[in-house]
Amino acid sequence: MTTDLAIFLGLAVISTLAGISMLLSRNSIYSVLFLVLNFLAVATLYLLLNAAFIAMVQITVYAGAIMVLFLFVVMLLGPERDQLGGPFRWQLPVAVVLAVGLMIELGFVMLSRSDGLVNAVSSLGEGFGSPASVGRLLFSEYLVPFEITSILLLVAMIGAIVLTRSGSREGR
Amino acid sequence: MNIPASYVLSLSGVLFSLGILGVLIRRNAIVIFMSIELMLNSANLAFITFARMLGPSPEALRGHVMVFFIIAVAAAEVAVGLALIVTIFRNKETINVDEVNSLQG
């Protein structure tokens, strides 16, 4: 077993276990923290796949900003007791069977691919995945989508403010 | 890292299935939302793996750009979605999705 494979297996186990723990923990705060762990493991995987810029964005935006927002809302709404089951008790075994079936199917399709990561790092271009290379592409070829993204974020911000504004709502 | 791309793609598939499982079995709206984030994340992992696999070609970096856009859209989605959850909680006093079943508010 090569070192690369060992590192990958370690990260895969960490991210999968963090995902499972996120699903099973009763306390929403633990779920958020397990998801942060999962994001950090995947960010390390990005780093190993020569995607330095995306790894940094993953840590700052996903594990940082977005998960803090989740944590803030969980704290705001207070601990919610969450029982599995509810009115649709038959849903749980069906969901587990379907999800495991999908997992096996996806794994079979992916593992039966014959092509691999055959390109050594030296065959990648200079600075592959660095902030400079991604940024150059982002601000030349993808400039219009980039600007549209800024409008999307503005709309989302206004939408969030309008939805949570309390004063002018009638009654409650 | 020199391992077969199929391993990383399988991990992406496993994480995606876990996300689907979370959406199906949990009743807490916030946890369902986090499962959706898990699925977006696994799709990002597949994008990065394919970009690494197509390495030397100039097209490969577009995978990274696509992941960047997905992260930006996910941020917008989280802002609006959490605002919706807070509003539902304010009206219904619960975020259990089984108890939020009436359309007239």
Side-chain angles (χ1 to χ4, degrees), chain A residues 3-65:
Chain A
T3 319
D4 285 347
L5 192 57
I7 293 175
F8 168 72
L9 284 180
L11 287 173
V13 167
I14 290 175
S15 57
T16 310
L17 284 184
I20 294 174
S21 317
M22 183 201 91
L23 297 187
L24 294 183
S25 60
R26 295 296 163 107
N27 194 333
S28 306
I29 293 175
Y30 292 157
S31 292
V32 176
L33 294 179
F34 277 124
L35 193 58
V36 170
L37 179 63
N38 181 14
F39 283 165
L40 289 181
V42 173
T44 317
L45 214 50
Y46 289 166
L47 215 48
L48 293 171
L49 289 167
N50 299 73
F53 175 64
I54 296 298
M56 291 306 131
V57 170
Q58 169 95 354
I59 289 177
T60 52
V61 177
Y62 246 128

Side-chain angles (χ1 to χ4, degrees), chain A residues 4 23 25 28 31 38-39 46 50 58 62 80 82 87 91 103 110 117 119 124 141 163-164 172, chain B residues 2-3 6 17 22 26-28 34 37-38 41 44 52-53 55 62 64 87 89-91 94 98:
Chain A
D4 285 347
L23 297 187
S25 60
S28 306
S31 292
N38 181 14
F39 283 165
Y46 289 166
N50 299 73
Q58 169 95 354
Y62 246 128
E80 176 105 348
D82 187 31
Q91 200 181 11
M103 195 181 292
M110 299 304 187
L117 276 184
N119 304 310
L124 294 175
E141 201 170 329
L163 277 173
T164 52
R172 34 191 94 179
Chain B
N2 267 315
I3 60 167
S6 51
S17 311
R26 292 303 296 260
R27 303 268 69 91
N28 187 332
M34 288 195 307
E37 295 300 312
L38 193 64
N41 203 41
N44 285 349
R52 173 70 174 76
M53 211 169 77
R62 290 164 199 216
H64 291 202
T87 312
F89 183 80
R90 201 181 279 153
N91 287 329
T94 181
D98 280 341

Side-chain angles (χ1 to χ4, degrees), chain A residues 80-160:
Chain A
E80 176 105 348
R81 75 203 184 294
D82 187 31
Q83 70 281 22
L84 296 171
F88 305 105
R89 203 163 281 283
W90 49 269
Q91 200 181 11
L92 180 62
V94 175
V96 171
V97 167
L98 286 178
V100 170
L102 179 71
M103 195 181 292
I104 292 171
E105 202 167 332
L106 278 176
F108 178 73
V109 170
M110 299 304 187
L111 286 176
S112 61
R113 295 172 56 90
S114 55
D115 50 356
L117 276 184
V118 286
N119 304 310
V121 179
S122 56
S123 73
L124 294 175
E126 183 68 27
F128 179 81
S130 69
S133 57
V134 178
R136 196 170 296 122
L137 197 58
L138 205 55
F139 282 103
S140 58
E141 201 170 329
Y142 289 91
L143 185 61
V144 176
F146 184 77
E147 297 296 337
I148 293 175
T149 306
S150 69
I151 297 176
L152 179 74
L153 287 171
L154 177 69
V155 170
M157 194 166 71
I158 295 173

Side-chain angles (χ1 to χ4, degrees), chain B residues 1-2 4 10 13 20 23 28 31 40 49 51 68 86 101-102 104:
Chain B
M1 191 163 70
N2 267 315
S10 309
I20 286 190
V23 170
N28 187 332
V31 180
L40 283 171
T49 313
F68 181 79
V86 168
N101 51 12
S102 61
Q104 65 262 31

